[in-house]
């Protein structure tokens, strides 16, 4: 058992019609990432905010509500500031905007361009995503460090895909996954910084080979962190993805702030 200073926040989640995960791992996605933050910043106060269901699926409302609620709770307990607070987002949205009629898209762009420059929302694939950007930017403006995984959509692509949201926002640090050779993992989208996230086989297959990982040997294909007793394994497991590269960077950021590194650095 680990002596971790961990708080859990629950957000009401929607009923999403997705096929249940049989392995038991997906429900441990947030716990696994939290374990990696603990490994890099064991003195930090950890807050695990649940915004995804047992299949690691959620909706925009729950995500925005989770961020906004956490902003308020931390402000009350942190002297009205979010400095020395690091937000880790091991998740991403891939909005395409293809369902929005062209005339509506053009009108939205015109509306954004008519706003004062300092108030304009950032565009996500040509569309403003204000409901998510507002609580994120509020946290940033109040002093928080925001870090997010770049995404895992690039297996077999000649050029890695761009970052998902929220990593793509200018005020969020996007993290790509790297392998044992310190190169971008074959599946990883491109981020602004890299951290270990495991790797897969040779593209275009790029399938993780976690079955090759042994407890007493280094493994190119995965990271080790916490899973719960409700999973089909107990205690620790291997996993792979940029979702787990981001927590390592978040932990380093928290450890740096704890060590006195100034916010602007």
């Amino acid at each position: 058992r680990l002596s971790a200073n961990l708080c859990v926040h629950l957000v009401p989640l929607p009923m999403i019609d997705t096929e249940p995960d049989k392995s038991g791992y997906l429900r441990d996605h947030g716990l696994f990432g939290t374990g990696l933050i603990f490994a890099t910043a064991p003195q930090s106060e950890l807050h695990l905010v649940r915004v995804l269901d047992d299949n690691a699926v959620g909706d925009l409302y729950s995500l925005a509500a989770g961020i906004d609620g956490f902003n308020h709770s931390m402000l009350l307990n942190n002297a009205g500031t979010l400095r020395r607070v690091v937000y880790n987002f091991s998740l991403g949205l891939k909005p395409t905007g293809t369902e929005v009629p062209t005339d509506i898209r053009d009108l939205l762009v015109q509306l954004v361009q008519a706003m004062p420059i300092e108030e304009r929302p950032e565009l996500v694939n040509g569309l403003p995503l204000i409901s998510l950007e507002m609580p994120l930017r509020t946290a940033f403006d109040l002093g928080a460090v925001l870090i997010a995984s770049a995404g895992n959509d690039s297996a077999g692509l000649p050029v890695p895909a761009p970052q998902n949201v929220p990593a793509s926002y200018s005020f969020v640090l996007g993290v790509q996954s790297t392998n044992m050779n310190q190169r971008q993992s074959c599946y990883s989208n491109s981020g602004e910084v890299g951290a270990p996230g495991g790797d897969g086989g040779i593209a275009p297959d790029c399938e993780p080979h976690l079955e090759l990982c042994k407890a007493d040997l280094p493994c190119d294909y995965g990271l080790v962190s916490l899973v719960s007793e409700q999973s089909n394994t107990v205690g620790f497991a291997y996993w792979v993805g940029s979702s787990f590269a981001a927590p390592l960077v978040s932990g380093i950021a928290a450890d740096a702030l704890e060590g006195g590194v100034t916010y602007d650095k």
Side-chain angles (χ1 to χ4, degrees):
R1 296 187 177 275
L2 301 177
S3 179
N5 187 0
L6 176 64
C7 305
V8 178
H9 306 253
L10 299 178
V11 176
L13 298 176
M15 293 296 295
I16 300 174
D17 188 19
T18 55
E19 183 178 353
D21 168 54
K22 300 296 195 301
S23 71
Y25 278 110
L26 286 178
R27 72 169 69 92
D28 286 336
H29 187 272
L31 176 63
F32 194 95
T34 302
L36 294 169
I37 295 177
F38 177 78
T40 49
Q43 301 304 313
S44 295
E45 180 180 281
L46 303 171
H47 292 260
L48 186 57
V49 183
R50 185 179 182 183
V51 294
L52 304 177
D53 67 9
D54 284 352
N55 295 309
V57 176
D59 69 355
L60 187 58
Y61 176 82
S62 299
L63 177 56
I67 299 167
D68 187 62
F70 185 71
N71 287 349
H72 285 285
S73 67
M74 287 303 295
L75 285 169
L76 290 173
N77 295 296
N78 200 44
T81 179
L82 293 179
R83 286 186 177 272
R84 296 172 57 82
V85 180
V86 180
Y87 287 60
N88 179 82
F89 295 95
S90 289
L91 49 78
L93 294 83
K94 297 183 285 291
T96 63
T98 54
E99 297 180 359
V100 180
T102 302
D103 55 341
I104 300 298
R105 289 173 60 92
D106 292 343
L107 179 59
L108 285 170
V109 171
Q110 293 176 32
L111 288 172
V112 169
Q113 292 175 343
M115 299 172 66
I117 295 178
E118 66 276 7
E119 297 178 9
R120 291 179 186 176
E122 296 187 26
L123 298 182
V124 178
N125 287 359
L127 297 173
L129 195 57
I130 297 175
S131 59
L132 178 60
E133 183 179 349
M134 284 185 66
L136 289 174
R137 191 174 287 279
T138 296
F140 177 78
D141 289 342
L142 289 168
V145 176
L146 278 64
I147 296 170
S149 54
N152 311 315
D153 311 305
S154 300
L157 298 182
V159 178
Q163 303 177 103
N164 291 335
V165 180
S168 63
Y169 284 127
S170 62
F171 53 91
V172 178
L173 184 66
V175 184
Q176 67 187 30
S177 171
T178 60
N179 55 29
M180 292 280 279
N181 296 319
Q182 298 186 25
R183 297 184 181 276
Q184 189 167 342
S185 303
C186 62
Y187 58 80
S188 179
N189 299 359
S190 292
E192 294 154 276
V193 297
D199 209 357
I202 298 175
D205 296 329
C206 196
E207 291 294 332
H209 298 289
L210 298 181
E211 72 278 1
L212 302 179
C213 294
K214 307 300 180 184
D216 56 346
L217 296 172
C219 184
D220 290 5
Y221 299 111
L223 277 72
V224 178
S225 189
L226 300 174
V227 291
S228 67
E229 295 183 9
Q230 285 72 40
S231 183
N232 65 351
T233 187
V234 177
F236 297 90
Y238 287 102
W239 215 339
V240 59
S242 65
S243 283
F244 313 123
L248 294 175
V249 177
S250 294
I252 290 170
D255 192 54
L257 291 171
E258 182 70 20
V261 175
T262 58
Y263 174 78
D264 61 314
K265 300 295 184 182

